[in-house]
Amino acid sequence: GAVSASMVTSLGCQYVLCGHSERRTVFKDDDEAINKKVLKIIEGGMIPVLCIGETKEEFDANLCESVCAIQLAKDLAGVSAADVKTMIIAYEPVWAIGTGVAATPEQAQETHKGIRDWIAKNVDQTTADEIRIQYGGSASAKNAPELSACPDVDGFLVGGASLKPEFAEIVSAIAKAKEVGVKADHADVKAAEALLVQLKEESKQAEHFMRSSLLPSGLLPRAKAKAKTDGRGAGGGAGGVDANMP
């Protein structure tokens, strides 16, 4: 975004997004600007999370591999192999972000492998083997298990689902799918499962609080009765109260 690297560092942040589709499209960040941000983040001692991916038009034209290769070449210009190795690459097909339509496991694996092959060819094989390549774009608890099973999908860059209890399920899915991760980080898997239980309980408590705060005793029944008298359904017309509201 438009926050200085020194300010972000002062807050204790370790990872910074670069090249997110909204910055590319809304703020018109080109690859030259993104490359400068990547280098500045590294200079500030933080780790860039480089977002790359194609638009719907580019996807339909079968240009996914070419678009990602061009973005990688330009956005990583001047970045050392040592720094690339510690970075995170996030493949985010623009057409999947916030749409509820995610890439299929086959599509994600093909693109992630293409990214890893590009790094092996243009940086080195060791870096390609060790760098983390995440998938972003309507990742959810429903599709996380299948996407996690892809050998070149190392994790997820989660958007809207990170604000929901299902986030813990996504974390658990990727941890369980990667055999090494399950063996080495069994405690983390258990922690993710415990977090899921905690989040679900907190969600119930929040819902109860909202209901008790926004709907004082007798308000909902009166609203329903008034709506019926007015000839409207509960929630119809201005000032209607939806019976399903929290």
Side-chain angles (χ1 to χ4, degrees):
V3 182
S4 70
S6 59
M7 290 178 67
V8 176
T9 304
S10 71
L11 294 172
C13 297
Q14 294 179 299
Y15 298 88
V16 182
L17 291 180
C18 305
H20 190 276
S21 64
E22 291 177 354
R23 291 295 314 183
R24 292 180 185 267
T25 57
V26 179
F27 293 90
K28 308 303 179 185
D29 282 3
D30 59 16
D31 289 303
E32 181 181 356
I34 293 167
N35 175 243
K36 290 179 179 178
K37 291 183 180 184
V38 169
L39 294 170
K40 193 66 177 179
I41 290 166
I42 293 171
E43 180 186 324
M46 296 176 289
I47 298 173
V49 180
L50 177 61
C51 302
I52 62 174
E54 78 286 357
T55 64
K56 183 65 167 62
E57 293 74 19
E58 291 165 339
F59 175 77
D60 290 340
N62 199 30
L63 295 174
C64 176
E65 183 178 351
S66 298
V67 169
C68 289
I70 291 171
Q71 291 175 339
L72 286 169
K74 293 183 176 181
D75 299 346
L76 296 179
V79 181
S80 70
D83 286 326
V84 173
K85 187 182 298 185
T86 60
M87 286 179 60
I88 295 173
I89 305 296
Y91 167 58
E92 287 196 301
V94 180
W95 49 270
I97 300 174
T99 64
V101 180
T104 65
E106 294 75 20
Q107 291 168 338
Q109 169 56 26
E110 180 180 2
T111 304
H112 280 232
K113 185 179 186 304
I115 293 170
R116 204 177 298 280
D117 289 346
W118 185 94
I119 295 172
K121 179 180 179 180
N122 294 276
V123 184
D124 58 59
Q125 187 62 54
T126 300
T127 299
D129 292 339
E130 296 187 14
I131 193 171
R132 283 182 289 172
I133 306 175
Q134 297 181 335
Y135 172 79
S138 296
S140 66
K142 183 177 180 180
N143 58 36
E146 286 189 335
L147 288 168
S148 297
C150 299
D152 287 296
V153 174
D154 300 318
F156 298 98
L157 184 63
V158 187
S162 65
L163 303 176
K164 302 175 183 178
E166 68 172 306
F167 180 59
E169 296 183 52
I170 298 174
V171 174
S172 181
I174 190 68
K176 289 180 177 179
K178 305 303 177 182
E179 184 177 354
V180 174
V182 171
K183 289 181 178 179
D185 302 309
H186 182 68
D188 290 342
V189 178
K190 290 299 182 183
E193 293 173 344
L195 177 61
L196 173 60
V197 174
Q198 178 184 342
L199 287 173
K200 286 183 175 179
E201 180 59 31
E202 290 178 354
S203 178
K204 291 180 182 178
Q205 293 175 359
E207 181 179 0
H208 176 74
F209 172 77
M210 292 294 289
R211 287 184 178 277
S212 61
S213 298
L214 299 180
L215 296 177
S217 177
L219 177 59
L220 186 56
R222 289 200 301 273
K224 286 182 176 180
K226 186 176 187 305
K228 187 174 182 180
T229 302
D230 292 345
R232 302 193 304 265
V241 178
D242 189 342
N244 294 320
M245 70 179 290

